[in-house]
Amino acid sequence: MPIVALPYINAAQALHPALPRAVRTLRNAGVRVLLDDDHDKGFRPHQPKHGNLDAYPWDLELDALPSPH
């Protein structure tokens, strides 16, 4: 079953030293993690206190899932 994760984090949270390891673990387990990094295109962390849930890019996640046949 395909799994896609689109983290909603701010720039300060993205600096946490555990994030790269967690993302690597998920990717090694077959999860497609959509972060705007060298591995994939996806969510770019926003500045703290400037998140906009109404602008959350659901289309990125939905487009990353394979179409059902």
Side-chain angles (χ1 to χ4, degrees):
M1 174 184 316
I3 300 173
V4 177
L6 183 59
Y8 186 74
I9 56 176
N10 68 41
Q13 293 166 325
L15 294 175
H16 193 283
L19 182 66
R21 183 180 65 239
V23 170
R24 187 171 49 253
T25 299
L26 288 169
R27 286 178 172 158
N28 287 340
V31 177
R32 184 164 177 201
V33 180
L34 300 177
L35 280 174
D36 197 9
D37 60 12
D38 293 337
H39 191 272
D40 214 334
K41 292 287 181 198
F43 184 74
R44 181 171 294 189
H46 56 271
Q47 290 304 310
K49 309 237 185 229
H50 286 86
N52 180 356
L53 286 175
D54 292 330
Y56 186 74
W58 287 107
D59 57 317
L60 289 175
E61 190 160 17
L62 296 173
D63 290 345
L65 290 169
S67 346
H69 297 348

